[in-house]
Amino acid sequence: MRSAAIRPDGRSPIDIAITGANGAVGKALIERLGSNATTRPARLRALVRDPGRSANLSDLPAELIQVDYDDTKSLERAVAGAGCVAHLAGSLVPRAGDSLLGANLLTTKNVAEASRAQGVKSFVYLSFPGADARSENEYLRTKGQAEDVIAENFASGAIFRVPMILGLDCPAMNQIKRLLGSSVIPLVAGGAVRIQPIYLGDVISAIEWAILHPEAPLARVNLVGPETLFYRDLLMRAGLRLGKRPRILPIPRRPARAASGIIGRFSPSSPMSRTVFDVIFYEHLCNDEEARNTMSIPRTGVDEILDLSLPHRE
């Protein structure tokens, strides 16, 4: 794909490579970059592990490139000539046979080092609030370690720490719809966990901003939604739009956490492991003043997010 569009600084269009491109964020990013005539890249590459599972990208304006995240040479070939890499690959619940270390740290290390070797100047990464290389939680630790790897390899770009992302086809939104399919919803602590969900479109706007400002110094930026609310309240507000009024069944936190530890001992990659439990059922709230002051991107409120993502019933 070629275009005569130029960046805001007047320079020629940037060449962009996106890892984890077949996820909800990657697909939305490709749609945004490919449809906006003022920011359309000179070349847009969608890097995926399995093209057979990337049918959602077939009609989008990006080159589909198969990569092996364990093979540095494969990655170097995939990013050669790119000016920016948006690294979206990673997971809280790794696929079978993988681990949090592999999915979040080793994959990031290999992509970052391959990108630097090929002269990529700007690197954009999605992390999570509370990421810390010294955390006892393996997910937060591997995310924090990945952030450090990026900081060691790049002086430009952005590390966005994003919480629950809500939008069409987002895993969190799909989970909400699944839960609302039941008349009774069991929730740890009755869903009394405060969250700061952010709209998918706002995340895409932030990534787009970072891509179009490749000379901006690398920063770790909290990127959260404008509202803080309990998860149960999010469910109820979503339920109103779907004509659902489920009853919430509170599950005591302590025995639920103990059960997650037992499950995780026998199945470390389980979506019910202790690591996952402590990420989902504990609060990771943060201030996004830096993001608001730096990018001036409007944040979408929860009600508008739900209106955009769910069918509305009177």
Side-chain angles (χ1 to χ4, degrees):
M1 180 183 68
R2 297 288 171 183
S3 169
I6 58 175
R7 300 202 317 250
D9 58 10
R11 300 183 187 179
S12 59
I14 195 168
D15 182 326
I16 304 165
I18 303 171
T19 71
N22 51 355
V25 178
K27 180 176 181 289
L29 180 58
I30 292 170
E31 289 174 335
R32 173 77 65 85
L33 294 173
S35 64
N36 190 336
T38 61
T39 60
R40 194 174 298 152
R43 185 181 180 192
L44 186 55
R45 316 175 204 186
L47 278 53
V48 298
R49 195 189 303 262
D50 183 0
R53 300 178 63 183
S54 305
N56 60 335
L57 303 179
S58 60
D59 295 328
L60 299 183
E63 301 173 38
L64 195 63
I65 301 176
Q66 183 174 11
V67 294
D68 179 349
Y69 289 113
D70 297 321
D71 182 355
T72 302
K73 294 300 180 184
S74 165
L75 292 170
E76 287 186 4
R77 289 192 296 271
V79 302
C84 177
V85 168
H87 180 45
L88 308 180
S91 180
L92 171 60
V93 182
R95 62 178 190 161
D98 203 349
S99 65
L100 287 169
L101 180 69
N104 297 317
L105 177 57
L106 300 183
T107 293
T108 302
K109 181 176 183 293
N110 290 342
V111 173
E113 292 181 351
S115 299
R116 187 184 65 176
Q118 290 299 316
V120 174
K121 300 298 182 184
S122 178
F123 201 93
V124 182
Y125 178 62
L126 291 189
S127 189
F128 189 81
D132 188 335
R134 298 164 297 182
S135 175
E136 294 183 3
N137 181 283
E138 188 177 7
Y139 177 71
L140 299 179
R141 183 172 64 253
T142 54
K143 279 292 191 181
Q145 291 169 334
E147 290 184 5
D148 291 345
V149 165
I150 294 166
E152 291 169 3
N153 284 277
F154 295 92
S156 299
I159 295 170
F160 294 117
R161 292 176 170 176
V162 295
M164 176 189 294
I165 300 175
L166 296 177
L168 287 173
D169 296 326
C170 286
M173 185 62 76
N174 291 337
Q175 173 67 5
I176 288 172
K177 290 188 286 187
R178 281 194 294 270
L179 289 173
L180 289 171
S182 302
S183 58
V184 178
I185 303 176
L187 290 179
V188 173
V193 177
R194 290 178 299 170
I195 56 175
Q196 298 171 305
I198 187 167
Y199 180 48
L200 173 62
D202 297 343
V203 175
I204 299 306
S205 293
I207 296 173
E208 184 180 37
W209 181 93
I211 289 173
L212 296 175
H213 295 79
E215 317 245 329
L218 183 75
R220 307 186 200 209
V221 181
N222 293 322
L223 185 69
V224 300
E227 295 182 52
T228 300
L229 73 163
F230 288 117
Y231 184 69
R232 66 185 178 212
D233 295 331
L234 173 63
L235 273 178
M236 293 300 100
R237 286 157 77 170
L240 287 176
R241 285 160 175 79
L242 296 173
K244 306 283 187 178
R245 296 181 182 273
R247 181 170 66 88
I248 291 179
L249 176 65
I251 304 298
R253 186 188 300 271
R254 186 171 294 178
R257 187 170 188 266
S260 72
I262 295 172
I263 293 171
R265 191 174 303 135
F266 293 98
S267 180
S269 296
S270 168
M272 295 300 295
S273 70
R274 174 68 59 81
T275 294
V276 176
F277 184 96
D278 287 346
V279 169
I280 294 177
F281 297 112
Y282 283 82
E283 297 175 348
H284 304 280
L285 305 180
C286 57
N287 187 314
D288 71 338
E289 182 177 0
E290 182 179 2
R292 286 185 279 111
N293 292 340
T294 301
M295 295 176 290
S296 300
I297 295 172
R299 303 299 157 78
T300 307
V302 170
D303 285 329
E304 186 177 354
I305 294 173
L306 295 175
D307 287 341
L308 291 167
S309 307
L310 295 172
H312 188 77
R313 293 186 183 179
E314 298 296 338

